Amino acid sequence: MLRFTARRLLHAVPLLFGVVTLMFFLLQLAPGDPIQALIGDYPATPEYIAQVTEAYGLDQPLLVRYWEYLQQIFTLNLGESLAGRVPVADLIADRLGNTLILTVTAMTFAAIVGVAVGVWAGVSRSRTLDHLVTGVAVGSLSIPMFWLGQMLVLIFAIKLSVLPSQGMYSTRSTAEGLDRLPDLLTHLLLPALVLAMREIGVVARIVRTSVHDVLTLPYVETARAKGFSRATIIRRHVVRNSLLPAVTVIGYNFGFILAGSVLVETVFGWPGMGQLLYESIRNRDNAVTIGIVLLIAVAVVVVNLLTDLVYGLVDPRIRAGAGAGGRA
Amino acid sequence: MSTGLAVRDFSVALKTPAGVIRPVDEVSIEVRPSQRVALVGESGCGKSMTLRGILRFIPPSVLDGVSGEASYDGVDLAQLDDRRLRDYRGRRIAMVFQDALARLNPTMTVGAQVEEVLATRDRRARETQVTALFRSVGLDNSRAFRRRYPHELSGGMRQRVLIAIALAGDPELLVADEPTTALDVTVQAQILDTITDVVRERGMALLVVTHDLGVVSETCEFVYVMYAGQIVESGLVDAVFDDPGHPYTQGLLACVLDVDEPVEQRVRTIPGVVPPPGSVTTGCRFRSRCPAAHDRCAADPPVVRLDGDRTARCWLPSDTAGEAS
């Protein structure tokens, strides 16, 4: 298991190197000028612009800057933000927790609801219910997040005034520590729901198909020959085995959730990494942009690894394969 | 007092893309308490479908309907609702299937799969019973072994686990569908010994479905020979094997390898294959492959009572014996 983990992490190194390189050069191709963005719509003399350019090392040739950036990254230094010269690592650290609260909540929510709906549709002998659930699942997949987010804000925050529309905490709240939890939860509900929506659809569809397949397997008939009721059979023999593909999907889709958090955090003013990424792209703050994308890449690699390890927990056959060093 | 399994004029109709077919056509079988009975025939002759029909294991999506009677202790199984049917499955009639790997849940330890059948709630008692069951089917009953998963066991061990599962409900009738197919020959013999031993010890009845005449002679007292959805011959195993009345039974017995004969004569076959259900509607269904076929075979042959319990569905013996009712 340890060797398996180490090998997987080693495989990630060239991947991350590729991400950094790609991001570095792609951002150079993007329109706009970081210095212009920094100075703003302010009439500046060419001398001043040249001075600022030199101060940030932007007068150096591209390859030289790339080489320097790589050296920096290698020492785990993500560089400094263009605006305010704050270390990128500090900027991200401030926001990472907030993003994790949002994404992990959304993922948990998606897993629970998706599996429940999927099993329900899968075991249902009613064709209509099955079609209905599939339809809703496809629908939830197809709705753009930013649109759904704004619609929910319109309904629950503006029309009904039952939920806050922006931020993580009420500005008027004076609560400290754990007392802030109820306030946090009301702010969390809508963005987490929007973020989870797509994944609920994905998970529900996968689980539904999987349940359908497992129900026809011979060992389910063995369970029937044991004299078990349909409910017992589903609970003991069908659900767990149907979860295998769902585990994969949920784990591998963590990247999508992180990507989705950029939109959702922007719509809901959630002070997380996604919002920071959005701002850094607008401000042409390349060090911050690359830093966040790199971190997301690392997160995806780690979560995928965790997924493979969890898979082994759910399916003893995989465990045996990995233990023998056979399958990766 | 139990009267066992009684199947009379039992037919199964299935929905297929080509229309409704009847793979099981007016089959009558009886398994009395503690009796060991075999249902034998080639692949595709309807043996397994007969079992599945009787025990209601055919999915409603393909089942067109059953007719006739399949009763246990006088209760017609076809009339039971799901709840009452479950009281029979596992507790009174237990099943052993072929292909044990697919028949066991891959994510559950073999011990747990046996244990979940037990009726008692007491954990100590369950442990004792599972240990005893593993021992009685010839498996290592250590805790470590019981915590293994199906894929970690050999084919023979998995088959033994299936037998332990069947025994766990303490049934009166054990139904085994090709229990030794796909196992090594040496393992086959051991599994058969295990099955006959436990059936004898517990005084259970046994119904074995197989294509292997060796299995029949080793485990059973009474045999039904099935061909193309019909029972063509039945009787005590010794009597039928000594003097088969139906040409099909004669053919099957002739196919059994005899090591005393020269090599080139050892392997014999019945030419042709079992006609698909519905392709022969009148007359003897075996006549296209029968070496003794003649003009009369185009008409439905009678069921002839040969002697005692023996019957054959053929014109030939009818010339020498009286017709059965």
Side-chain angles (χ1 to χ4, degrees):
Chain A
M1 198 66 105
L2 210 65
R3 270 185 55 191
F4 170 72
T5 310
R7 201 170 57 211
R8 283 290 302 269
L9 287 177
L10 214 63
H11 281 317
V13 172
L15 176 79
L16 296 178
F17 176 77
V19 167
V20 170
T21 308
L22 196 69
M23 282 304 295
F24 189 88
F25 290 105
L26 267 182
L27 285 173
Q28 301 303 324
L29 293 175
D33 175 13
I35 302 301
Q36 196 61 54
L38 187 67
I39 298 168
D41 286 339
Y42 198 75
T45 59
E47 290 78 29
Y48 179 66
I49 290 177
Q51 191 191 339
V52 174
T53 310
E54 203 190 326
Y56 284 94
L58 291 173
D59 54 340
Q60 301 285 324
L62 190 59
L63 284 178
V64 174
R65 278 190 282 146
Y66 172 62
W67 179 241
E68 281 175 356
Y69 187 74
L70 275 188
Q71 285 176 318
Q72 218 179 54
I73 291 282
F74 199 71
T75 58
L76 295 181
N77 179 358
L78 293 176
E80 287 181 343
S81 146
L82 214 51
R85 310 213 78 166
V86 185
V88 171
D90 290 359
L91 274 178
I92 294 177
D94 274 355
R95 306 290 192 101
L96 185 61
N98 296 346
T99 293
L100 284 181
I101 289 175
L102 180 62
T103 49
V104 171
T105 308
M107 224 171 67
T108 314
F109 191 60
I112 294 170
V113 178
V115 167
V117 172
V119 169
W120 186 42
V123 303
S124 154
R125 275 176 283 199
S126 142
R127 277 272 172 91
T128 345
L129 177 68
D130 191 15
H131 286 313
L132 189 75
V133 168
T134 312
V136 171
V138 174
S140 82
L141 248 169
S142 328
I143 298 172
M145 268 186 224
F146 59 89
W147 181 83
L148 181 66
Q150 285 170 331
M151 286 305 119
L152 291 180
V153 166
L154 261 178
I155 296 168
F156 290 99
I158 297 173
K159 259 235 143 71
L160 300 175
S161 299
V162 286
L163 287 171
S165 68
Q166 292 284 305
M168 237 178 123
Y169 299 103
S170 303
T171 42
R172 280 168 293 177
S173 167
T174 53
E176 287 289 328
L178 266 184
D179 294 339
R180 302 211 295 174
L181 197 61
D183 190 29
L184 173 65
L185 289 181
T186 52
H187 282 81
L188 185 58
L189 189 62
L190 285 185
L193 183 71
V194 172
L195 200 50
M197 209 59 188
R198 198 193 102 94
E199 300 308 313
I200 292 175
V202 175
V203 173
R205 266 166 41 101
I206 298 271
V207 171
R208 177 196 152 271
T209 313
S210 177
V211 166
H212 260 286
D213 294 346
V214 171
L215 276 174
T216 65
L217 291 179
Y219 63 80
V220 172
E221 193 169 83
T222 307
R224 263 192 283 148
K226 287 174 175 177
F228 290 162
S229 69
R230 198 175 152 82
T232 308
I233 294 171
I234 288 164
R235 190 159 37 83
R236 285 204 203 143
H237 293 279
V238 177
V239 172
R240 179 175 175 157
N241 296 301
S242 309
L243 287 189
L244 294 174
V247 169
T248 322
V249 166
I250 293 168
Y252 291 174
N253 274 11
F254 185 65
F256 284 110
I257 293 223
L258 275 177
S261 74
V262 178
L263 289 173
V264 171
E265 286 180 7
T266 309
V267 169
F268 287 94
W270 189 266
M273 217 166 58
Q275 207 187 36
L276 184 65
L277 179 64
Y278 174 75
E279 286 161 7
S280 75
I281 294 171
R282 280 185 51 153
N283 297 334
R284 303 271 324 179
D285 202 340
N286 291 352
V288 179
T289 309
I290 300 177
I292 294 176
V293 172
L294 188 60
L295 188 71
I296 290 178
V298 171
V300 169
V301 168
V302 170
V303 170
N304 281 5
L305 177 65
L306 285 178
T307 305
D308 288 346
L309 296 178
V310 169
Y311 204 93
L313 288 183
V314 189
D315 191 341
R317 289 167 296 183
I318 306 286
R319 211 180 309 160
R327 274 169 292 169
Chain B
M1 182 59 200
S2 172
T3 56
L5 181 72
V7 178
R8 265 181 282 275
D9 300 329
F10 186 73
S11 301
V12 175
L14 298 181
K15 290 178 274 194
T16 69
V20 173
I21 57 164
R22 294 225 299 182
V24 179
D25 198 1
E26 302 200 340
V27 163
S28 296
I29 291 173
E30 197 181 2
V31 186
R32 290 193 295 271
S34 341
Q35 196 186 18
R36 298 191 304 280
V37 175
L39 182 60
V40 69
E42 284 168 282
S43 309
C45 68
K47 328 180 280 286
S48 287
M49 201 50 79
T50 306
L51 268 197
R52 302 175 63 82
I54 295 169
L55 300 172
R56 293 177 51 188
F57 276 114
I58 303 173
S61 52
V62 293
L63 182 67
D64 190 62
V66 296
S67 60
E69 186 197 339
S71 61
Y72 191 81
D73 272 0
V75 177
D76 193 348
L77 296 174
Q79 305 301 322
L80 294 177
D81 60 32
D82 269 8
R83 249 193 90 81
R84 294 196 48 217
L85 181 65
R86 291 207 302 271
D87 295 339
Y88 283 82
R89 285 180 177 166
R91 313 264 160 235
R92 308 192 67 179
I93 306 173
M95 289 191 76
V96 174
F97 307 89
Q98 63 172 319
D99 190 11
L101 182 59
R103 288 288 173 178
L104 292 169
N105 185 336
T107 64
M108 210 169 167
T109 64
V110 288
Q113 296 191 51
V114 175
E115 194 181 326
E116 66 171 357
V117 187
L118 298 174
T120 171
R121 293 241 162 261
D122 178 41
R123 269 189 64 193
R124 274 269 175 79
R126 292 167 79 97
E127 169 111 20
T128 319
Q129 286 187 40
V130 174
T131 316
L133 280 168
F134 270 65
R135 195 186 317 122
S136 71
V137 296
L139 284 172
D140 176 359
N141 61 9
S142 69
R143 195 183 178 81
F145 185 86
R146 283 183 276 126
R147 292 177 83 159
R148 288 166 82 174
Y149 289 94
H151 71 272
E152 298 171 317
L153 306 186
S154 72
M157 288 178 188
R158 288 195 285 256
Q159 198 64 48
R160 288 173 193 277
V161 172
L162 272 191
I163 298 170
I165 287 174
L167 296 179
D170 199 15
E172 299 154 6
L173 168 63
L174 186 68
V175 177
D177 187 1
E178 303 271 11
T180 58
T181 308
L183 293 175
D184 287 347
V185 179
T186 48
V187 180
Q188 279 187 12
Q190 293 163 7
I191 296 289
L192 286 181
D193 285 347
T194 304
I195 291 178
T196 32
D197 287 352
V198 293
V199 164
R200 283 214 183 98
E201 274 165 29
R202 293 165 173 251
M204 286 159 41
L206 174 69
L207 174 58
V208 180
V209 163
T210 182
H211 63 270
D212 187 340
L213 294 175
V215 172
V216 178
S217 66
E218 269 183 58
T219 53
C220 296
E221 306 150 341
F222 201 89
V223 61
Y224 292 91
V225 182
M226 197 165 176
Y227 186 80
Q230 293 177 323
I231 301 290
V232 294
E233 179 159 7
S234 66
L236 290 170
V237 171
D238 290 343
V240 170
F241 280 22
D242 283 349
D243 178 24
H246 194 283
Y248 178 60
T249 318
Q250 291 163 8
L252 278 183
L253 284 164
C255 295
V256 177
L257 295 183
D258 187 346
V259 284
D260 295 334
E261 284 185 41
V263 174
E264 58 272 18
Q265 285 172 32
R266 274 184 211 166
V267 182
R268 295 218 188 87
T269 58
I270 305 177
V273 291
V274 183
S279 61
V280 186
T281 47
T282 57
C284 175
R285 296 182 181 184
F286 186 57
R287 69 179 187 274
S288 60
R289 300 168 74 189
C290 183
H294 51 97
D295 298 346
R296 259 192 311 183
C297 300
D300 285 346
V303 177
V304 183
R305 187 167 293 282
L306 298 173
D307 56 67
D309 282 340
R310 287 185 64 198
T311 61
R313 184 189 292 266
C314 185
W315 285 108
L316 285 180
S318 73
D319 298 338
T320 53
E323 263 189 42
S325 54

